[in-house]
Amino acid sequence: MTRHVARRRPALLVVPALLGLAFLLVPLLGLLVRAPWARLPEQLFSPEIGAALQLSLLCATLATLICLVLGIPLAWLLARGDLPGRGLIRALVTVPLVLPPVVGGVALLLVLGRRGVIGQYLDEWFGISLPFTTAGVVLAEAFVALPFLVISVEGALRAGDGRLEEAAATLGASRWLTFRRVTLPSILPGVIAGAVLCWARALGEFGATITFAGNFPGRTTTMPLAVYLALETEPEAAIVLSLVLLLVSVAVLALLRDRWINGAT
Amino acid sequence: MRRVVPLVALLVLAGCGSTPAPPPAGPGGVSGAVTVFAAASLTESFTKLGKDFEAANPGVKVTFNFGGSSALAQQLNQGAPADVFASAAPANMKQVTDTRTVTETPVTFARNRLQIAVPKGNPARITGLADFGRAELKIALCAEQVPCGAATKKVLQAAKVTGQPDTLEQDVKAVLTKVRLGEVDAALVYRTDVRSAGAEVEGITFAEADQAINDYPLAALAKAPNASGAKAFVDHVRSDKGRAVLAEAGFDGP
């Protein structure tokens, strides 16, 4: 009975739904249509694109590692820690999700730049200057990507069953051991999903990167920056670069989808 | 914000539709809305020129879309409704004239030249282009793909200096920001940018700047929704008064 009702598709919903789908997919198809297929291999294996892709993959991976190290404990604190003003803290943690990335870049520059609130001491005392370095790219990417991991892991923690942890505790396990051997394995699908999302977000980062880390081939020019600059003079190269990013994103999200389904069932 | 302007212009124009009768002309013979696409480096001077133009022609509203010249050229080629295009480089004007005829040959109305920009007080004691080869300094330049970057390449070649940049920015204002914030010791930007930054940035002139003077072409567009307004605005920019505003902003005369 219910199955029969669910199978009927009212046109009022289907038409806008299909329009919505087309709205999202047609621009992506546009990339495929306009791609210079004949010159694709030559464009794809040019040293500039290779360098940008390599840098993008490296930075996104490092940013994801930073997010894992900082994000899992932060998510745990938000989900399990008994801290005051948790709602506000959670809101603040997710701000970079909605903040225009350029604003994030400006904020990073004002704090970690050479004349920044913290950056000036890094420069003075340790001779460390983050803008215009690969480390700067990693930081900018981690800044925009961290909320994805935190949200994902916090959700997994909340959905999880706290009784196993209690049982571990009553059997004499320390809190750290409980976290490591009981909590972490139980939320692993959530952590993986978060990490993949985080990585994909880091890979596509543009605004914060170009604002905070600048643009220099081989050092800070990631794929999105290369796309933007290529558009100025070589639209064909920009299309090829965009295709590569699109392909990577689709692959990552397809993978993620499976993980999520596996995690849920 | 920049994205919003053409949209607003589009809505205004959509409102007008294809009705043949334009609203009655003001005393200057110009009426309605004039939409101007202008290079980002013209932001300060054209905003002033627009106000003057509106004051001289009551009832006229000038709307600007400031942006990178190549982005603007692309928008125009995609059919963005506009009356006037002021480009920071002849190449970008050509992109428009190639596909979309302009009423007459674009005229050069201003020229710009590069200057070395350093943060207030010149902490790294920059004296000339030769300092751009010092690896220990933080240097920002325009990327070669954008007009200021092409000019940068020319002056560095003329000075026989191999620049040691730390970043190649996507437009001249981004370079200027890095100087304003003190993140770099020196940069190459247009003289007009140094002037627009006020006391935060100091400019140092250098002889090789003569090797890469940038021409700014201006044209009324053929499909301009407001042809008379377009022509009047072009004339206004080229008038003595217009030249004075541009000179004040640091532009050289044509």
Side-chain angles (χ1 to χ4, degrees):
Chain A
M1 180 67 192
T2 43
R3 193 169 287 178
H4 178 69
V5 171
R7 212 178 287 164
R8 275 197 312 202
R9 305 191 184 101
L12 210 62
L13 293 182
V14 171
V15 172
L18 289 180
L19 279 176
L21 191 65
F23 177 57
L24 291 177
L25 290 187
V26 168
L28 302 182
L29 290 176
L31 273 178
L32 295 177
V33 171
R34 291 289 301 273
W37 294 105
R39 295 182 49 209
L40 200 64
E42 164 202 349
Q43 292 266 20
L44 207 52
F45 296 110
S46 75
E48 295 85 26
I49 292 183
L53 186 60
Q54 211 178 336
L55 190 72
S56 275
L57 297 176
L58 174 74
C59 290
T61 306
L62 289 176
T64 306
L65 288 178
I66 290 179
C67 289
L68 283 169
V69 170
L70 302 179
I72 296 176
L74 182 54
W76 183 83
L77 207 64
L78 284 174
R80 299 283 162 88
D82 198 15
L83 74 169
R86 184 155 59 179
L88 182 67
I89 294 174
R90 184 185 295 121
L92 289 175
V93 165
T94 47
V95 160
L97 275 185
V98 288
L99 199 71
V102 178
V103 177
V106 173
L108 284 173
L109 206 51
L110 294 181
V111 172
L112 294 173
R114 203 161 63 147
R115 299 243 182 115
V117 185
I118 297 172
Q120 57 180 319
Y121 300 109
L122 286 179
D123 191 29
E124 236 172 79
W125 297 344
F126 309 107
I128 298 173
S129 174
L130 292 167
F132 319 126
T133 61
T134 308
V137 178
V138 174
L139 279 182
E141 291 184 350
F143 179 80
V144 295
L146 183 55
F148 286 87
L149 188 90
V150 173
I151 286 180
S152 207
V153 175
E154 198 206 344
L157 278 168
R158 284 178 173 281
D161 189 351
R163 279 178 302 182
L164 284 175
E165 286 162 33
E166 278 167 32
T170 54
L171 290 173
S174 69
R175 298 190 70 170
W176 173 236
L177 186 71
T178 310
F179 177 77
R180 214 157 38 88
R181 301 294 292 273
V182 180
T183 314
L184 210 49
S186 73
I187 58 166
L188 202 58
V191 172
I192 292 172
V196 173
L197 259 187
C198 193
W199 189 79
R201 177 66 189 88
L203 193 70
E205 217 304 306
F206 173 77
T209 310
I210 201 159
T211 314
F212 179 58
N215 173 59
F216 194 84
R219 203 186 312 146
T220 52
T221 305
T222 54
M223 290 285 278
L225 271 59
V227 170
Y228 187 81
L229 271 173
L231 211 48
E232 295 277 335
T233 45
E234 274 187 283
E236 274 197 352
I239 294 172
V240 172
L241 284 164
S242 303
L243 268 182
V244 174
L245 271 186
L246 180 67
L247 211 71
V248 174
S249 309
V250 169
V252 162
L253 291 173
L255 180 85
L256 177 72
R257 183 78 196 183
D258 279 351
R259 285 289 177 187
W260 245 334
I261 292 166
N262 291 345
T265 52
Chain B
M1 188 60 204
R2 283 176 192 168
R3 298 262 156 79
V4 173
V5 176
L7 190 66
V8 170
L10 195 72
L11 291 174
V12 169
L13 292 165
C16 297
S18 57
T19 41
V30 190
S31 62
V34 181
T35 306
V36 179
F37 279 33
S41 48
L42 294 165
T43 305
E44 293 84 9
S45 47
F46 264 43
T47 304
K48 170 107 182 38
L49 283 169
K51 288 213 172 75
D52 293 348
F53 186 69
E54 284 175 355
N57 300 280
V60 171
K61 178 87 188 87
V62 184
T63 311
F64 289 106
N65 178 19
F66 292 113
S69 294
S70 89
L72 294 176
Q74 279 173 28
Q75 288 173 20
L76 289 171
N77 284 338
Q78 301 293 330
D83 299 300
V84 177
F85 180 38
S87 166
N92 300 122
M93 178 60 87
K94 193 171 176 298
Q95 287 175 3
V96 174
T97 53
D98 279 351
T99 54
R100 183 187 167 118
T101 40
V102 297
T103 46
E104 53 203 26
T105 319
V107 287
T108 299
F109 70 100
R111 290 178 212 277
N112 216 344
R113 61 176 68 207
L114 293 175
Q115 218 175 23
I116 298 169
V118 295
K120 189 170 67 183
N122 192 1
R125 308 262 168 273
I126 306 290
T127 53
L129 275 189
D131 291 310
F132 282 70
R134 286 162 59 187
E136 78 275 14
L137 296 183
K138 290 265 183 248
I139 308 256
L141 299 176
C142 285
E144 233 174 77
Q145 291 92 331
V146 296
C148 61
T152 295
K153 193 179 170 190
K154 273 192 215 161
V155 296
L156 288 176
Q157 273 172 356
K160 297 191 173 61
V161 172
T162 309
Q164 298 276 348
D166 293 275
T167 180
L168 302 168
E169 298 286 317
Q170 78 278 23
D171 67 54
V172 68
K173 292 290 184 196
V175 174
L176 185 69
T177 304
K178 299 289 194 289
V179 183
R180 288 178 113 144
L181 292 172
E183 291 299 332
V184 295
D185 299 304
L188 280 174
V189 298
Y190 293 118
R191 190 165 73 178
T192 52
D193 298 307
V194 171
R195 207 168 286 194
S196 74
E200 288 173 66
V201 171
E202 290 176 21
I204 301 163
T205 49
F206 56 96
E208 292 84 358
D210 292 345
Q211 307 288 319
I213 289 175
N214 211 357
D215 289 349
Y216 280 57
L218 176 73
L221 297 163
K223 288 179 195 158
N226 186 351
S228 60
K231 190 178 178 312
F233 187 81
V234 169
D235 290 343
H236 177 68
V237 172
R238 301 183 67 198
S239 69
D240 290 345
K241 229 173 150 184
R243 283 170 191 224
V245 170
L246 289 163
E248 200 190 331
F251 286 101
D252 293 318

